[in-house]
Protein backbone atom coordinates (compact mmCIF):
# COMPACT_ATOMS: atom_id res chain seq x y z
CA UNK A 1 0.00 0.00 0.00
CA UNK A 2 1.69 3.19 -1.20
CA UNK A 3 1.89 6.01 1.26
CA UNK A 4 1.81 9.67 0.36
CA UNK A 5 3.90 10.40 -2.73
CA UNK A 6 5.19 13.79 -3.79
CA UNK A 7 6.91 15.05 -6.90
CA UNK A 8 9.35 16.39 -7.74
CA UNK A 9 11.68 15.68 -4.82
CA UNK A 10 14.00 18.57 -5.58
CA UNK A 11 13.76 21.59 -7.85
CA UNK A 12 15.52 24.87 -8.44
CA UNK A 13 13.75 27.96 -9.72
CA UNK A 14 14.64 31.61 -10.12
CA UNK A 15 12.82 34.58 -8.65
CA UNK A 16 9.61 35.46 -10.45
CA UNK A 17 9.06 31.98 -11.85
CA UNK A 18 6.13 29.73 -11.08
CA UNK A 19 6.20 26.21 -9.65
CA UNK A 20 3.73 23.32 -9.38
CA UNK A 21 4.16 20.58 -6.81
CA UNK A 22 2.15 17.36 -6.86
CA UNK A 23 0.86 14.99 -4.23
CA UNK A 24 -0.92 11.65 -4.24
CA UNK A 25 -2.54 10.81 -0.91
CA UNK A 26 -2.39 7.51 0.88
CA UNK A 27 -4.88 4.98 -0.44
CA UNK A 28 -8.29 5.52 1.15
CA UNK A 29 -7.60 9.10 2.20
CA UNK A 30 -9.73 11.96 0.90
CA UNK A 31 -8.19 15.00 2.60
CA UNK A 32 -4.91 16.66 1.62
CA UNK A 33 -3.04 19.34 3.55
CA UNK A 34 0.02 21.29 2.45
CA UNK A 35 2.74 22.62 4.74
CA UNK A 36 5.82 24.77 4.20
CA UNK A 37 8.86 24.04 6.33
CA UNK A 38 11.75 26.49 6.30
CA UNK A 39 15.14 25.27 7.44
CA UNK A 40 15.25 24.79 11.19
CA UNK A 41 11.56 25.58 11.63
CA UNK A 42 8.40 23.61 12.19
CA UNK A 43 5.91 23.06 9.35
CA UNK A 44 3.58 25.97 8.62
CA UNK A 45 0.05 25.19 7.41
CA UNK A 46 -0.69 26.48 3.92
CA UNK A 47 -4.14 25.02 3.17
CA UNK A 48 -6.28 21.90 3.24
CA UNK A 49 -8.40 20.40 0.48
CA UNK A 50 -11.45 18.20 0.89
CA UNK A 51 -14.02 17.31 -1.79
CA UNK A 52 -12.04 19.38 -4.28
CA UNK A 53 -12.55 22.55 -2.24
CA UNK A 54 -10.13 24.56 -0.13
CA UNK A 55 -11.53 23.95 3.33
CA UNK A 56 -9.10 25.97 5.40
CA UNK A 57 -6.21 28.30 4.62
CA UNK A 58 -3.24 29.44 6.64
CA UNK A 59 -1.54 32.81 6.61
CA UNK A 60 -0.10 32.63 3.10
CA UNK A 61 -0.51 35.13 0.25
CA UNK A 62 -2.65 34.51 -2.81
CA UNK A 63 0.50 33.57 -4.72
CA UNK A 64 -0.03 30.18 -3.13
CA UNK A 65 -2.90 28.30 -4.67
CA UNK A 66 -3.95 24.72 -4.92
CA UNK A 67 -6.24 22.20 -6.44
CA UNK A 68 -7.65 18.81 -5.59
CA UNK A 69 -8.70 16.39 -8.29
CA UNK A 70 -11.56 13.85 -8.23
CA UNK A 71 -9.05 11.07 -7.43
CA UNK A 72 -8.05 13.10 -4.30
CA UNK A 73 -4.57 13.95 -5.60
CA UNK A 74 -3.55 17.56 -5.21
CA UNK A 75 -1.32 20.28 -6.59
CA UNK A 76 0.29 23.27 -4.94
CA UNK A 77 1.09 26.21 -7.18
CA UNK A 78 3.29 29.13 -6.22
CA UNK A 79 3.49 32.16 -8.51
CA UNK A 80 6.03 34.98 -8.63
CA UNK A 81 8.55 33.08 -6.56
CA UNK A 82 10.54 34.92 -3.91
CA UNK A 83 13.81 33.93 -2.29
CA UNK A 84 11.87 33.40 0.93
CA UNK A 85 9.78 30.67 -0.70
CA UNK A 86 12.79 28.35 -0.53
CA UNK A 87 11.67 25.54 1.76
CA UNK A 88 10.60 21.94 2.06
CA UNK A 89 6.98 21.62 0.96
CA UNK A 90 5.18 18.78 2.65
CA UNK A 91 1.95 17.15 1.66
CA UNK A 92 -0.06 15.23 4.23
CA UNK A 93 -3.18 13.15 3.84
CA UNK A 94 -5.84 11.96 6.23
CA UNK A 95 -9.11 10.12 6.09
CA UNK A 96 -11.12 12.30 8.42
CA UNK A 97 -12.78 14.20 5.60
CA UNK A 98 -16.26 14.43 7.00
CA UNK A 99 -15.22 15.01 10.59
CA UNK A 100 -14.31 18.34 12.07
CA UNK A 101 -11.44 17.29 14.23
CA UNK A 102 -8.15 16.28 12.63
CA UNK A 103 -6.56 13.01 13.56
CA UNK A 104 -3.29 11.51 12.47
CA UNK A 105 -1.66 12.91 9.34
CA UNK A 106 0.44 10.84 6.94
CA UNK A 107 3.23 12.87 5.36
CA UNK A 108 5.09 12.50 2.11
CA UNK A 109 8.86 12.97 1.90
CA UNK A 110 8.45 16.51 0.62
CA UNK A 111 9.54 18.61 -2.31
CA UNK A 112 12.66 20.68 -1.67
CA UNK A 113 12.32 24.01 -3.49
CA UNK A 114 15.30 26.32 -3.91
CA UNK A 115 14.69 29.80 -5.31
CA UNK A 116 17.76 31.61 -6.65
CA UNK B 1 2.97 32.06 14.29
CA UNK B 2 3.47 28.57 15.63
CA UNK B 3 1.11 27.48 18.33
CA UNK B 4 3.08 24.85 20.20
CA UNK B 5 6.46 25.63 21.65
CA UNK B 6 8.88 22.83 22.42
CA UNK B 7 11.48 22.88 25.11
CA UNK B 8 14.40 22.32 24.98
CA UNK B 9 15.34 23.33 21.44
CA UNK B 10 18.09 20.72 21.42
CA UNK B 11 18.96 17.71 23.54
CA UNK B 12 22.03 15.45 23.50
CA UNK B 13 21.99 12.20 25.45
CA UNK B 14 23.88 8.92 25.72
CA UNK B 15 22.43 5.76 24.26
CA UNK B 16 20.32 4.02 26.88
CA UNK B 17 19.35 7.22 28.67
CA UNK B 18 15.86 8.69 28.69
CA UNK B 19 14.93 11.81 26.71
CA UNK B 20 12.21 14.19 27.81
CA UNK B 21 10.87 17.11 25.85
CA UNK B 22 8.03 19.45 26.61
CA UNK B 23 5.43 21.32 24.61
CA UNK B 24 3.32 24.28 25.65
CA UNK B 25 0.34 25.72 23.83
CA UNK B 26 -1.84 28.76 24.22
CA UNK B 27 -5.52 27.87 23.76
CA UNK B 28 -7.91 24.99 24.24
CA UNK B 29 -7.27 21.97 22.08
CA UNK B 30 -9.11 18.94 20.84
CA UNK B 31 -6.01 16.80 20.66
CA UNK B 32 -2.23 17.03 20.68
CA UNK B 33 0.08 14.93 18.54
CA UNK B 34 3.79 14.20 18.42
CA UNK B 35 5.73 13.65 15.21
CA UNK B 36 9.31 12.68 14.41
CA UNK B 37 11.34 13.95 11.47
CA UNK B 38 14.63 12.53 10.34
CA UNK B 39 16.90 15.08 8.72
CA UNK B 40 15.11 16.80 5.85
CA UNK B 41 12.54 14.06 5.37
CA UNK B 42 8.81 13.70 5.94
CA UNK B 43 7.22 13.64 9.36
CA UNK B 44 6.13 10.41 11.00
CA UNK B 45 3.24 10.32 13.45
CA UNK B 46 4.18 8.96 16.86
CA UNK B 47 1.21 9.37 19.16
CA UNK B 48 -2.05 11.28 19.60
CA UNK B 49 -3.52 12.24 22.95
CA UNK B 50 -7.01 13.70 23.26
CA UNK B 51 -7.92 16.56 25.56
CA UNK B 52 -9.76 14.24 27.95
CA UNK B 53 -6.75 11.92 28.31
CA UNK B 54 -3.85 12.44 30.69
CA UNK B 55 -1.32 9.83 29.63
CA UNK B 56 -0.67 7.47 26.74
CA UNK B 57 1.98 4.90 26.01
CA UNK B 58 3.30 3.46 22.77
CA UNK B 59 6.30 1.17 22.99
CA UNK B 60 9.16 3.23 24.47
CA UNK B 61 7.15 6.44 24.24
CA UNK B 62 5.12 8.02 27.01
CA UNK B 63 3.09 11.17 26.49
CA UNK B 64 1.39 13.20 29.19
CA UNK B 65 -1.08 16.04 28.80
CA UNK B 66 -1.92 18.66 31.41
CA UNK B 67 -4.73 20.81 30.05
CA UNK B 68 -4.73 23.04 33.14
CA UNK B 69 -1.14 24.03 32.39
CA UNK B 70 -1.61 23.77 28.61
CA UNK B 71 1.41 21.54 28.33
CA UNK B 72 2.49 18.09 27.20
CA UNK B 73 5.61 16.04 27.55
CA UNK B 74 7.12 13.26 25.46
CA UNK B 75 9.38 10.75 27.15
CA UNK B 76 11.53 8.36 25.13
CA UNK B 77 12.93 5.61 27.34
CA UNK B 78 16.13 3.62 26.74
CA UNK B 79 17.11 5.78 23.78
CA UNK B 80 18.86 4.36 20.72
CA UNK B 81 21.00 5.96 18.03
CA UNK B 82 18.05 5.55 15.66
CA UNK B 83 16.03 7.94 17.86
CA UNK B 84 18.24 10.80 16.64
CA UNK B 85 15.75 13.13 14.96
CA UNK B 86 13.67 16.27 15.41
CA UNK B 87 10.49 15.90 17.42
CA UNK B 88 7.49 18.17 16.94
CA UNK B 89 4.31 18.62 18.88
CA UNK B 90 1.21 19.65 16.97
CA UNK B 91 -2.08 20.89 18.32
CA UNK B 92 -5.60 20.72 16.93
CA UNK B 93 -8.15 23.21 18.18
CA UNK B 94 -11.81 22.43 18.55
CA UNK B 95 -13.64 23.07 15.26
CA UNK B 96 -10.33 23.41 13.44
CA UNK B 97 -8.99 21.28 10.64
CA UNK B 98 -5.31 22.08 10.70
CA UNK B 99 -2.43 20.87 12.83
CA UNK B 100 -0.33 23.70 14.25
CA UNK B 101 3.29 22.69 14.76
CA UNK B 102 5.91 24.00 17.12
CA UNK B 103 9.53 24.65 16.18
CA UNK B 104 10.65 21.23 17.39
CA UNK B 105 13.26 19.66 19.63
CA UNK B 106 16.38 18.23 18.01
CA UNK B 107 17.48 15.07 19.80
CA UNK B 108 20.94 13.58 19.33
CA UNK B 109 21.63 10.16 20.81
CA UNK B 110 25.34 9.44 21.20
CA UNK B 111 26.57 5.87 20.89
Amino acid sequence: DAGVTQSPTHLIKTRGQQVTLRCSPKSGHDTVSWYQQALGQGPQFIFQYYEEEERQRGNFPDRFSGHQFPNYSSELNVNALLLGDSALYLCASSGTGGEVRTGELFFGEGSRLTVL
Amino acid sequence: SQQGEEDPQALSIQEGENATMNCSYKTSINNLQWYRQNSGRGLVHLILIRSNEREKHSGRLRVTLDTSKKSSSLLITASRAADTASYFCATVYSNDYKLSFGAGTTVTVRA
Side-chain angles (χ1 to χ4, degrees):
Chain A
D1 176 29
V4 179
T5 58
Q6 292 187 242
S7 64
T9 55
H10 294 82
L11 68 167
I12 299 173
K13 294 286 187 178
T14 57
R15 281 179 296 176
Q17 285 190 314
Q18 177 264 347
V19 68
T20 297
L21 308 178
R22 296 177 176 82
C23 172
S24 292
K26 181 178 168 63
S27 178
H29 285 182
D30 58 6
T31 304
V32 173
S33 301
W34 286 92
Y35 287 82
Q36 179 195 65
Q37 186 178 25
L39 202 61
Q41 301 294 316
Q44 292 286 315
F45 176 75
I46 303 175
F47 40 54
Q48 184 183 90
Y49 276 85
Y50 170 64
E51 291 189 339
E52 302 179 51
E53 296 287 333
E54 182 183 288
R55 180 159 71 174
Q56 187 172 2
R57 187 179 183 91
N59 188 25
F60 278 81
D62 292 344
R63 299 187 296 108
F64 290 77
S65 63
H67 190 76
Q68 185 179 35
F69 299 94
N71 66 352
Y72 307 123
S73 67
S74 177
E75 288 182 351
L76 164 65
N77 300 291
V78 186
N79 295 322
L81 284 167
L82 304 173
L83 296 179
D85 295 331
S86 294
L88 181 67
Y89 288 85
L90 295 161
C91 171
S93 73
S94 57
T96 55
E99 298 180 15
V100 172
R101 296 169 180 82
T102 298
E104 173 184 355
L105 292 186
F106 290 79
F107 281 84
E109 293 294 329
S111 293
R112 172 77 60 187
L113 171 65
T114 302
V115 182
L116 301 176
Chain B
S1 63
Q2 295 178 309
Q3 178 64 20
E5 295 295 333
E6 287 93 339
D7 172 62
Q9 290 186 330
L11 183 60
S12 180
I13 57 174
Q14 202 73 29
E15 206 165 24
E17 293 180 337
N18 296 342
T20 299
M21 59 211 84
N22 304 296
C23 170
S24 61
Y25 56 92
K26 297 189 175 80
T27 60
S28 296
I29 59 171
N30 174 268
N31 70 69
L32 184 145
Q33 303 177 34
W34 287 89
Y35 286 80
R36 183 186 74 220
Q37 183 178 38
N38 291 89
S39 180
R41 304 193 63 181
L43 281 76
V44 175
H45 181 265
L46 295 176
I47 199 163
L48 180 155
I49 187 165
R50 301 193 186 282
S51 60
N52 61 352
E53 298 175 312
R54 291 298 168 257
E55 187 171 311
K56 283 190 83 169
H57 296 254
S58 177
R60 295 183 295 110
L61 306 179
R62 182 175 79 106
V63 169
T64 62
L65 179 65
D66 187 334
T67 53
S68 67
K69 295 181 179 177
K70 293 185 171 57
S71 67
S72 173
S73 68
L74 171 67
L75 168 67
I76 305 172
T77 60
S79 62
R80 306 166 181 169
D83 295 327
T84 294
S86 292
Y87 293 81
F88 295 91
C89 74
T91 51
V92 180
Y93 307 123
S94 300
N95 297 319
D96 204 0
Y97 295 110
K98 71 177 186 291
L99 257 65
S100 298
F101 286 85
T105 294
T106 299
V107 175
T108 303
V109 181
R110 306 185 307 274

